[in-house]
Amino acid sequence: MVKKGKSNEIINLPPLISPTEEVAVEEHHPRYLEEYLYEVAIFTPHDAMANSNDLTCVAIFGGYQQLAYIRPYKDMTWTFVIGMEWILFSEVVYQNNQFYALTYKGALACFSVTNPNLKLVAKEIPVDNKDNCCYYKNYLVEYGGELLQIRRYIVRPKCILDPKTTMFKVFKWYFDGWLEMESLGDVALFLGDNSSGFPRQMTKF
């Protein structure tokens, strides 16, 4: 069940359990079931003439954080995105009739509702040992027709509940890889601990 935009209309969605995980999910601890659905994002066409019911819900789900989508006003069941089955995904955005999904290590893949086969379009960003961090979190943001990957470097100096962000790096998707950006100009990025970021042009404030 999700809410549709500012109208707060409730959309009831069918169960989401991959056929390959059906038995495993039933046998898992209840806490696993609570965390089974990692994220659900709702996307609508950018075309102002598009029907307001022409929306797509994309889910990141399961122990291996795979992808599935459904068009609530057209489909009765979820469509499972295939390919790269053992790769964990963490972010998904919509651009030019394609869905772009980011892996935990920073690789980029795409699919569409007419072709639910993942295609790798950008390689991972290499980890620089000089960055001296315990781990990092990647964000995927669409801005000005371009896809940006923001890498947040994190250390935990005291305990697991006391993380500290040491720095950010921003990369722009370029052919089959990523180019590091030196500046965002007058654009500010707002990032969360467990959600995608969104950009804002500060000259408008």
Side-chain angles (χ1 to χ4, degrees):
M1 182 172 64
V2 296
K3 287 187 177 181
K4 174 185 172 184
K6 297 180 180 179
S7 66
N8 286 329
E9 176 187 346
I10 295 177
I11 303 173
N12 292 308
L13 301 176
L16 172 59
I17 297 180
S18 170
T20 59
E21 292 197 77
E22 187 169 358
V23 175
V25 169
E26 292 176 354
E27 295 175 349
H28 269 71
H29 189 278
R31 184 175 178 181
Y32 175 85
L33 297 179
E34 291 177 5
E35 298 175 353
Y36 184 79
L37 193 60
Y38 178 79
E39 178 180 288
V40 175
I42 301 176
F43 300 98
T44 56
H46 296 307
D47 185 357
M49 300 300 293
N51 190 310
S52 62
N53 290 337
D54 188 15
L55 57 86
T56 305
C57 298
V58 179
I60 301 175
F61 73 97
Y64 293 102
Q65 292 187 206
Q66 295 298 287
L67 299 161
Y69 67 85
I70 188 170
R71 296 168 295 179
Y73 297 99
K74 297 180 180 180
D75 303 332
M76 298 297 293
T77 59
W78 291 86
T79 297
F80 297 100
V81 181
I82 58 177
M84 302 175 67
E85 280 81 4
W86 304 106
I87 305 296
L88 278 70
F89 290 93
S90 61
E91 302 272 323
V92 60
V93 301
Y94 178 74
Q95 183 190 56
N96 298 330
N97 298 319
Q98 294 276 336
F99 294 97
Y100 291 89
L102 191 69
T103 72
Y104 263 91
K105 292 187 177 182
L108 187 67
C110 71
F111 68 94
S112 68
V113 294
T114 58
N115 183 12
N117 295 275
L118 279 169
K119 177 184 177 182
L120 183 67
V121 294
K123 302 174 184 177
E124 300 173 2
I125 298 173
V127 177
D128 189 346
N129 294 328
K130 296 179 181 179
D131 292 330
N132 191 27
C133 69
C134 293
Y135 71 102
Y136 54 84
K137 175 175 174 56
N138 295 320
Y139 301 86
L140 185 63
V141 176
E142 188 275 333
Y143 179 73
E146 294 186 315
L147 292 181
L148 306 179
Q149 179 176 173
I150 300 91
R151 177 162 287 185
R152 175 186 176 190
Y153 294 84
I154 303 170
V155 296
R156 297 189 184 276
K158 294 181 180 180
C159 67
I160 195 170
L161 299 177
D162 187 25
K164 179 181 178 181
T165 300
T166 59
M167 65 177 173
F168 292 91
K169 288 186 178 182
V170 181
F171 302 85
K172 178 173 67 174
W173 177 31
Y174 185 75
F175 290 100
D176 64 345
W178 302 91
L179 287 179
E180 185 173 355
M181 300 179 65
E182 298 297 329
S183 172
L184 289 172
D186 61 355
V187 175
L189 293 172
F190 295 84
L191 307 172
D193 282 337
N194 59 353
S195 62
S196 300
F198 61 92
R200 287 292 183 269
Q201 193 168 4
M202 300 311 293
T203 55
K204 296 183 179 180
F205 290 87

